[in-house]
Amino acid sequence: MSTQTELAATRTELLKAQSDLTAACSDLAGFKGSVNKRLGEQTSHSIARETSVKDGLRQQVNAEGSSLEHLSQRIRANNIVLHGVPDIAAHSRPADLTRYVSNKLDTATPRRGSPSQALSQSIRAVSHIGRPGSGKRAVLVEFSTHTAKHEAFKLSPHLRRSGLHLADELTPKQLKAQKGLEADFSALKLKGFRPFYRRGELKYRDQGVNRTCKRGEAIRVSAPVSPSRASPAPPGPPPRAPAPGRQGVRTSLPGHPSPGSTAGGGPAPGQSAAPASTSAAIAAANAATAAAANAMAGDGDTEKQAPSSGGLALDLLP
């Protein structure tokens, strides 16, 4: 009996311990859920805060980058890059290089009083850029005003004859954008345009207007229409034929020369003689008019001769 009682008591204690363990496990599960919830909330809050900080920093960096890009473009606004300058010892000193560039700009056009004569006075600084030893080297020319830079670009056709080429000084961002437009540049050139770059943008002239071509847009640009391909004008009504005998002639009686002629029948001083075809037409008209006048004024006398063309002159109406 005592053994059975002890076993029953032990069983009861074990069941109670099991119940306590189950309760403890439930408490631990609840604690774990609350901890995970708090950790999740804190993690989400941290991620949201980190994302917000990153976005703010990114916007600030973009704004600073835009301001820096704008400042860089303003610094380069009056500068040009002159390509094709011989890299020789005579141009090694800044003074000699400045003298060479000034002479090229001043003698780019033969016309006197040209704006190029003042370009040498608008040069602020001249310096080499790029690596030496290639035979030709680019030169950076800084002007004091944007007007002087614009006038220098007008001399591009004359400078190209001596192997010199002008270009804008671009920022690294503009250089990267311009490099991405090389395919569009080639496409516009194949279509018959004359594309060019200005401040990192691709330009082309279409029907007298300078247009901008974005990256990938050249394939949608229509080729320029040449005069031979233009549609012909609609045909108009045919011209009316002049009445016979009144094709712009004026008669003058013998002894009274017509306006624009002398008494001898020649052209008046200061006037040129009529062409041979016109003179022949006038002579024929004079003969026909003289015959008609004889027919109307005659009294049946067929022996009466018509006056010569010098006696009855005709001249064209003005």
Side-chain angles (χ1 to χ4, degrees):
M1 292 291 296
S2 60
T3 303
Q4 293 180 353
T5 303
E6 289 177 359
L7 290 174
T10 302
R11 181 181 179 185
T12 302
E13 290 176 359
L14 290 174
L15 291 175
K16 184 179 179 181
Q18 183 181 3
S19 178
D20 293 340
L21 287 174
T22 303
C25 289
S26 299
D27 293 340
L28 287 174
F31 179 73
K32 180 182 178 181
S34 63
V35 170
N36 289 336
K37 182 179 180 180
R38 291 182 59 184
L39 287 175
E41 292 176 353
Q42 290 180 0
T43 303
S44 299
H45 179 70
S46 299
I47 292 175
R49 183 177 179 181
E50 182 181 359
T51 303
S52 177
V53 171
K54 286 183 177 180
D55 292 342
L57 290 175
R58 188 178 294 107
Q59 292 177 2
Q60 186 176 358
V61 169
N62 292 338
E64 293 294 336
S66 299
S67 300
L68 182 60
E69 177 68 18
H70 181 66
L71 180 61
S72 299
Q73 292 182 14
R74 288 189 60 185
I75 292 174
R76 294 168 170 83
N78 298 338
N79 302 346
I80 62 173
V81 178
L82 186 62
H83 296 275
V85 178
D87 188 12
I88 56 179
H91 301 159
S92 58
R93 295 188 304 174
D96 297 333
L97 185 61
T98 302
R99 190 178 304 108
Y100 170 83
V101 174
S102 300
N103 181 61
K104 286 296 182 181
L105 292 177
D106 288 342
T107 59
T109 174
R111 296 191 301 270
R112 295 185 177 273
S114 167
S116 66
Q117 300 297 327
L119 289 181
S120 58
Q121 303 175 5
S122 302
I123 295 177
R124 188 169 57 185
V126 177
S127 58
H128 277 117
I129 57 177
R131 296 180 179 179
S134 59
K136 294 185 181 295
R137 197 173 176 188
V139 172
L140 176 64
V141 183
E142 301 179 22
F143 291 101
S144 57
T145 62
H146 190 72
T147 303
K149 174 185 176 180
H150 182 68
E151 295 296 336
F153 269 113
K154 289 183 178 180
L155 302 178
S156 293
H158 305 283
L159 293 173
R160 280 197 295 268
R161 298 171 186 170
S162 57
L164 301 176
H165 302 272
L166 297 180
D168 289 297
E169 186 194 10
L170 304 179
T171 64
K173 184 177 180 180
Q174 289 176 322
L175 283 171
K176 183 178 179 181
Q178 179 172 310
K179 189 172 181 63
L181 294 169
E182 292 179 353
D184 296 272
F185 184 95
S186 301
L188 290 175
K189 200 168 184 179
L190 288 175
K191 290 185 176 182
F193 292 101
R194 299 181 64 182
F196 58 94
Y197 294 106
R198 280 295 178 269
R199 295 181 293 276
E201 295 182 342
L202 179 58
K203 304 280 187 178
Y204 65 98
R205 194 166 183 83
D206 185 17
Q207 298 180 359
V209 180
N210 287 337
R211 306 184 187 276
T212 302
C213 179
K214 301 294 183 180
R215 185 171 183 176
E217 289 184 354
I219 193 174
R220 297 191 295 269
V221 176
S222 301
V225 179
S226 60
S228 59
R229 295 173 56 188
S231 56
R240 296 181 59 184
R246 301 182 59 86
Q247 190 171 359
V249 297
R250 180 184 300 154
T251 61
S252 60
L253 296 177
H256 299 276
S258 60
S261 62
T262 59
Q271 294 186 1
S272 60
S277 59
T278 306
S279 302
I282 293 175
N286 285 338
T289 306
N294 289 337
M296 291 185 294
D299 52 355
D301 185 8
T302 58
E303 298 295 331
K304 189 174 183 179
Q305 299 294 327
S308 63
S309 58
L312 184 61
L314 297 177
D315 53 0
L316 296 177
L317 289 171

